[in-house]
Amino acid sequence: LILAIRPEHLRLASLEEKEAISLSIDTIDDLGADKLIRVQTPCGKTRLVVRAMGDVPLNDNQLRLELRVNKAN
């Protein structure tokens, strides 16, 4: 199964949101106004690069993303 997800259908989620995907942070490139956050899924097979605002707070080595299913088609 191959799943294509548009970046605009994802959003950063808080640790309390139960339906969010938990990802492990590999590296963070701080570009000033933005951050490029390299993450991987728990199985370690899928890697993503997340672009976030420079002032977004990050917790330890975890990042959570929520898929906005109502925006998908």
Side-chain angles (χ1 to χ4, degrees), residues 45-59:
K45 292 184 179 182
T46 304
R47 294 176 184 256
L48 302 168
V49 177
V50 177
R51 183 177 179 183
M53 305 241 341
D55 60 353
V56 68
L58 298 172
N59 298 329

Side-chain angles (χ1 to χ4, degrees), residues 25 27-31 34-38 49-52:
I25 297 175
T27 60
I28 301 170
D29 295 326
D30 193 343
L31 307 176
D34 293 331
K35 290 180 184 174
L36 294 180
I37 308 164
R38 287 166 176 50
V49 177
V50 177
R51 183 177 179 183

